[in-house]
Amino acid sequence: MRKRPRWRLNQGVQRFGSAFMLAGKVTFHLVKGRISFRNCMDQMALVGPESVGVALITAAFVGMVFTIQVAREFITFGASSAVGGVLAIALTRELGPVLTAVVLAGRVGSAFAAEIGTMKVTEQIDALHMLGTDPVDYLVIPRFIACLLMLPILNILSLVTGLWGGMIIADYLYGIPRTIYIESIQNFLQSWDIWSSIIKSGIFGAVVAIIGCNWGLTTTGGAKGVGQSTTAAVVMSLLAIFILNFFLSWALFGGESNLIPTF
């Protein structure tokens, strides 16, 4: 019988273990102040400005689709004034950080895994060791900082864009005045919702960076291995985002009650 499936399972477990070890190394190096600011700026440009278009388009259409789905039902029950507020809560607490992180995992996490994986199989990582350069300092930390800082910014921009898209649909298709839509957002949305969204997106960005870099650093098997690592990094990033989202939502909002204001 073939033992390949067991080998794959063992490799997956080893990669998870190495991912946790890499996260520890990144934390230790950050505490010691080992940061390459030039590399950080390059990676922030890749994660932020070069990803903003995809993130905003995604957010705009998500906001419009969500409004289409709920506006008619709310109007039927005489709650048209709550459409903007419900969309704001949904985007801020869940849809915004999760979908922005998904976009980041597909666009940036895969690039991290492919780039570092190619360096691994072509022995460029070994060359860095020979030159006395720590790959964690040179490759991982700039990408980690870029995702940690840029994803919350992308998330806030996505939130504004999604609310704007929802407002257009609510106004032109369902006749909900923009003043009522904006007032609904102000009534429903709280400052903690914004902060929770920033916390979530920052954690998601850190996870995407760690998984993408770790899967790249553990790549074996030449060009085929690079492709497999890239695919696996995206899949594992998505799974990690969805699983972490449950625990973060439970931790941040699990004990809340009376969230919806009465009119």
Side-chain angles (χ1 to χ4, degrees), residues 111-194:
F112 289 172
E115 183 179 0
I116 297 178
T118 301
M119 295 180 67
K120 178 67 175 179
V121 298
T122 56
E123 299 182 351
Q124 295 181 52
I125 303 295
D126 296 333
L128 288 176
H129 283 293
M130 293 181 64
L131 293 173
T133 301
D134 192 334
V136 175
D137 293 337
Y138 186 74
L139 298 174
V140 180
I141 288 181
R143 289 165 171 80
F144 178 85
I145 293 176
C147 290
L148 184 66
L149 297 180
M150 288 292 103
L151 187 53
I153 296 175
L154 288 174
N155 178 42
I156 296 299
L157 295 175
S158 298
L159 170 62
V160 175
T161 304
L163 292 175
W164 173 78
M167 182 176 66
I168 291 177
I169 296 299
D171 185 12
Y172 288 99
L173 292 187
Y174 298 99
I176 301 175
R178 298 188 180 187
T179 54
I180 294 178
Y181 183 92
I182 295 173
E183 184 180 356
S184 175
I185 295 174
Q186 294 174 343
N187 289 334
F188 276 72
L189 204 60
Q190 301 176 6
S191 59
W192 173 242
D193 296 322
I194 304 295

Side-chain angles (χ1 to χ4, degrees), residues 11-147:
Q11 187 188 48
V13 173
Q14 291 174 1
R15 275 182 157 173
F16 270 112
S18 62
F20 283 104
M21 292 179 62
L22 181 61
K25 289 180 181 178
V26 168
T27 303
F28 178 74
H29 287 206
L30 286 175
V31 170
K32 295 187 68 175
R34 296 181 179 179
I35 301 174
S36 174
F37 291 99
R38 181 177 179 181
N39 289 343
C40 286
M41 295 302 297
D42 292 339
Q43 295 303 321
M44 288 172 68
L46 172 66
V47 176
E50 294 188 17
S51 302
V52 68
V54 178
L56 295 188
I57 291 173
T58 301
F61 279 95
V62 166
M64 289 188 285
V65 170
F66 187 92
T67 303
I68 290 174
Q69 295 293 340
V70 304
R72 181 183 300 176
E73 311 304 326
F74 277 49
I75 292 173
T76 301
F77 290 100
S80 60
S81 61
V83 172
V86 171
L87 174 60
I89 289 178
L91 282 175
T92 305
R93 295 185 180 182
E94 299 298 331
L95 296 178
V98 170
L99 292 179
T100 308
V102 167
V103 170
L104 192 77
R107 188 187 182 282
V108 177
S110 60
F112 289 172
E115 183 179 0
I116 297 178
T118 301
M119 295 180 67
K120 178 67 175 179
V121 298
T122 56
E123 299 182 351
Q124 295 181 52
I125 303 295
D126 296 333
L128 288 176
H129 283 293
M130 293 181 64
L131 293 173
T133 301
D134 192 334
V136 175
D137 293 337
Y138 186 74
L139 298 174
V140 180
I141 288 181
R143 289 165 171 80
F144 178 85
I145 293 176
C147 290

